[in-house]
Amino acid sequence: MAMTGMVVTTHVELPEQAIMRFAEQVRTGAIDEPTGQMRLGFDLGTANIVVAVVDAANHPIAGGWVHSTVVRDGVVVDWAGATSAVRALRADVEQRLGHEFTKASISIPPGISDGDIQVFANVIGAAGLDPDEVVDEPVAAARAMGITDGAVIDVGAGTTGVSILEDGKVVLSVDEATGGHHMTLVLAGSNNIDYDQAEAMKKDPQYREQVLGTIRPTLDKMATIAAQALGSRDVPAVYLVGGSSSFESAPAIFEARLHRPVVRPAQPLFITPLGIPMPAQEESR
């Protein structure tokens, strides 16, 4: 397989190191040498569409992303835009890897209808790929982190999702419309600026303290959603993922509401996308 201009690194074994490597691949376009068959996956998020490639050992091989608003509240609202973005991302990784993919996995938000699930699968088909697996976002996150049991709280751009997993399967799933988008709306209103300016402010390190002071009630609302979803259930661990959980104080805010430790791995934005092309454990053995 020809890989022109390839950046090759030694594969890492720890999930957190793999997540960090995948984040670097997405941001820089770097690729790694695969071992065995490669698998392709797509994450259609509210703010971004992310493509991930892993090899037979589930090592991250390549990634990419585009800003997109094709999904809103867990529903594909721009069919043409979603299909076009998936086609473009597929073509990009195929060109960089020198490999043509015929199938791909795609993630779905928790709690959506069967009809909406089919729409996500149809996006893959319309982009010229056979659907490999339609995987719940919390299951994908758990695969990337190497866990099978616990609670996964996914704070995305549009929603906060809470899922409990047992033996790698989702046994409870709640998804409510409070996410990074709502943080931006709060910032815009508080500072009397437009949405795009507020979004830039949210991501600018020089405004970190001011932003945290303003959006803390929104983070607390997200933590309350999680606390209500978990109730008195005894789970072995709670994991916090999703780009909108990246704020330094987020784990402490969730811990205060949940009254239990919360683990937020490095690069929480890239955890779910990395897990999408990973097969179920029994399949990968």
Side-chain angles (χ1 to χ4, degrees), residues 49 78-90 123 126-127:
I49 296 179
D78 180 358
W79 170 265
T83 303
S84 176
V86 169
R87 280 199 190 109
L89 287 168
R90 172 196 179 185
V123 168

Side-chain angles (χ1 to χ4, degrees), residues 150-152 162-166 169-173 229-230 233 235:
V152 176
V162 183
S163 299
I164 296 177
L165 292 96
E166 294 178 0
K169 300 184 185 301
V170 176
V171 297
L172 174 75
S173 190
L230 294 179
R233 292 176 178 83
V235 294

Side-chain angles (χ1 to χ4, degrees), residues 158-235:
T159 63
T160 295
V162 183
S163 299
I164 296 177
L165 292 96
E166 294 178 0
D167 295 326
K169 300 184 185 301
V170 176
V171 297
L172 174 75
S173 190
V174 174
D175 199 44
E176 294 197 21
T178 302
H181 166 67
H182 302 83
M183 294 178 181
T184 304
L185 290 174
V186 168
L187 281 173
S190 176
N191 293 279
N192 195 28
I193 56 179
D194 66 29
Y195 186 92
D196 290 340
Q197 289 175 305
E199 184 70 12
M201 180 181 181
K202 186 175 70 175
K203 298 174 180 179
D204 192 332
Q206 70 174 318
Y207 295 112
R208 182 174 295 124
E209 294 302 319
Q210 180 182 347
V211 167
L212 284 174
T214 304
I215 68 167
R216 184 183 177 93
T218 308
L219 279 168
D220 190 65
K221 181 180 179 181
M222 297 169 180
T224 300
I225 291 170
Q228 292 172 343
L230 294 179
S232 59
R233 292 176 178 83
D234 184 22
V235 294

Side-chain angles (χ1 to χ4, degrees), residues 40 42 44 76 78-91 101-106 117-132 134:
L40 181 68
F42 291 93
L44 272 61
V76 176
D78 180 358
W79 170 265
T83 303
S84 176
V86 169
R87 280 199 190 109
L89 287 168
R90 172 196 179 185
F101 291 94
T102 59
K103 57 185 180 179
S105 297
I106 192 165
I117 291 172
Q118 188 59 50
V119 172
F120 278 81
N122 289 346
V123 168
I124 293 296
L129 294 159
D130 293 327
D132 194 5
V134 178

